[in-house]
Amino acid sequence: MNTPVWEDGGWRGLPRLEGTLKADFCVVGLGGSGLAAVHELLRLGRRVVGIDAGGVAGGAAGRNGGFLLAGLAKFYHQTVRAHGRDFAQRVYRATLDQIDQMARETPGAIRRVGSLRIAASEEELQDCWAHLEALRTDGFQALPYEGPEGQGILLPDDAVMNPLLRCRTLARQAQEAGALLFEHSPALEIGGREVRTPEGRVRCSGVLVAVDGGLERVFPELLGRVRTARLQMLATAPIPPRFPRPVYRRWGYDYWQQLPDGRLALGGLRDLGGEAEWTLSSEPTLQIQQGLEGLLAELGVRAPITHRWAASVGYTPTGLPIAEEVRPGVWAIGGYCGTGNVLGTLLGREAAWALCGERRPGAVFFA
């Protein structure tokens, strides 16, 4: 069906951009990162137009697993090893702050339940202990865990959300605050002073492109620095309460959360598909969906499957996101390596200040 479990059919939609508008800035992409930038620009007193080729959160922002995890996609101790302790600490603190702010902005979409990282092998369990030690050494909360889900670590500051509900709530809030937002208005040409769509154009002083999956298609100059992969999920009919916290297992290749109404949203197995999952296609495949059914059986879940869907996300070789001025007056953020719900929000806020020629207090990436 390729419909995420988050879709409730209640969104009324936004108009297409028609004619010419003038604004201080144009934001291309109305997912979580783009909407964070829109809100930050509004707080900075700027006039903002936001456009999306599809609907609000029509890409990965509204089609992911709903995890709110602090840090980068690499686990904390890996980030320390790859990028240094100071940088790892600053990113982790900044993303923890983002989770707090996100919960204040859209409390109805977020549950503060923590998360579990569960080991699927002895090697992974030893890595969990290294992960735990690194977090505790630097003053972050983490606990050893053993329970029905398995053995690993509990990260009490993480959370889960309904990503589509959050983005649609942010879009409504932005409109009420004065932003002009448009759906089904793909950017055909992007320059620092103008963005053109099939039926309109935005004249502005700067542009932010907040796109994760397919970013290298928007900016061919980023080829080799970011690559798009397909992530697949399914959801079941309600089951009895079993998973009070979201679970991240097998190095993050498998993940699931149980929703408040009992439904189970489960995804992963990207490694099973190999090279075929490095694709711009966002259609579910038989191979991965059958694998996910096998994972359900392994968990002892026998409920009917009600939803199947996929999304495109961007990965970088370094594990660090794209966050830069790609063309004169045109900034880009993306390449969150599968964990963009929090990181993308942080980058959206930082990028908004960069567009204005300023540095957001405490900025990590646009410093």
Side-chain angles (χ1 to χ4, degrees), residues 33 72 87 91 207-212 215 219 222 225-226 316 318-327 330-336 343-352 354-355 363-367:
S33 56
L72 298 173
F87 178 75
V91 171
V207 178
L208 173 65
V209 176
V211 174
D212 188 23
L215 186 59
F219 295 115
L222 294 178
R225 294 184 52 203
V226 62
T316 65
T318 63
L320 297 176
I322 300 294
E324 62 191 65
E325 189 175 15
V326 178
R327 300 170 184 168
V330 181
W331 298 75
I333 53 176
Y336 308 125
L343 187 60
T345 298
L346 171 64
L347 284 172
R349 299 195 206 280
E350 290 192 7
L355 279 170
V364 177
F365 294 94
F366 287 93

Side-chain angles (χ1 to χ4, degrees), residues 236-256:
T236 72
I239 63 173
R242 280 192 54 190
F243 302 105
R245 301 180 185 90
V247 177
Y248 212 51
R249 195 186 74 161
R250 204 170 62 81
W251 309 96
Y253 279 114
D254 303 332
Y255 46 92
W256 61 89

Side-chain angles (χ1 to χ4, degrees), residues 36-122:
V38 168
H39 276 262
E40 199 72 13
L41 288 167
L42 290 170
R43 279 191 283 267
L44 291 169
R46 288 354 190 240
R47 295 170 299 157
V48 189
V49 171
I51 63 173
D52 198 287
V56 167
R63 304 175 67 84
N64 62 71
F67 283 48
L68 295 178
L69 307 179
L72 298 173
K74 291 182 181 293
F75 297 123
Y76 183 76
H77 61 303
Q78 297 169 338
T79 304
V80 170
R81 190 162 55 241
H83 304 292
R85 185 171 301 278
D86 178 68
F87 178 75
Q89 287 177 324
R90 289 190 293 121
V91 171
Y92 207 83
R93 288 196 188 99
T95 49
L96 286 174
D97 289 344
Q98 285 308 301
I99 295 173
D100 288 340
Q101 184 169 349
M102 293 169 75
R104 291 193 298 269
E105 289 172 335
T106 55
I110 292 175
R111 294 182 292 136
R112 304 302 298 269
V113 293
S115 74
L116 294 176
R117 180 191 171 192
I118 296 298
S121 66
E122 180 60 32

